[in-house]
Amino acid sequence: SGFYQFDSRDAYGDLSSSTGDDLIYIQMIQGSDGLNWATLAISISVDSGASIQCSEGGGGDCTYETADGSMWDVSEEILISEGSADLCDGSNGYCEITVVITKLGVGDEDDRIIAQLSAYAE
């Protein structure tokens, strides 16, 4: 169980009409214990569009990079980026990105959304 809180910030760099743009950082600011990367799923939706599953370390339309180690601990952040899709071209100056962090159930446990937050990539 445990209570988790996350914060977001814009990633460096400008948005473009090509792929691979860095979008946002998500930082764990409160958590009773670390989260195991292996049991986490990260998905985003851009400007209220369809949900896109992000994969760790490349591949797919959306990717994320984690901090070192097997756990996501307080004060560590992940970087969410475009993968092989142009999810946000910055034509309006920004994109609103809704991030959903899900803890995958192990054994008889159900998957559980532990955070949903809106962030702006500019």
Side-chain angles (χ1 to χ4, degrees), residues 22-24 26 42 44 54 62-64 78-81 99:
D22 291 344
L23 299 174
I24 51 172
I26 303 292
I42 311 282
I44 64 170
C54 300
C62 169
T63 72
Y64 65 97
I78 63 171
L79 171 61
I80 297 178
S81 306
V99 181

Side-chain angles (χ1 to χ4, degrees), residues 35-86:
L35 293 167
N36 191 320
W37 295 121
T39 60
L40 283 185
I42 311 282
S43 61
I44 64 170
S45 96
V46 178
D47 293 332
S48 305
S51 176
I52 302 162
Q53 189 70 37
C54 300
S55 58
E56 185 182 349
D61 292 345
C62 169
T63 72
Y64 65 97
E65 289 173 30
T66 65
D68 290 338
S70 60
M71 305 290 279
W72 190 355
D73 294 309
V74 171
S75 86
E76 292 180 338
E77 55 186 9
I78 63 171
L79 171 61
I80 297 178
S81 306
E82 293 175 345
S84 51
D86 175 29

Side-chain angles (χ1 to χ4, degrees), residues 4 8-9 14 17 37-38 40 43 52 56 72 78 83-85 89-90 92 94 98-100 107:
Y4 296 94
S8 64
R9 66 185 176 92
D14 293 327
S17 55
W37 295 121
L40 283 185
S43 61
I52 302 162
E56 185 182 349
W72 190 355
I78 63 171
S84 51
D89 64 10
N92 327 332
Y94 68 90
T98 304
V99 181
V100 177

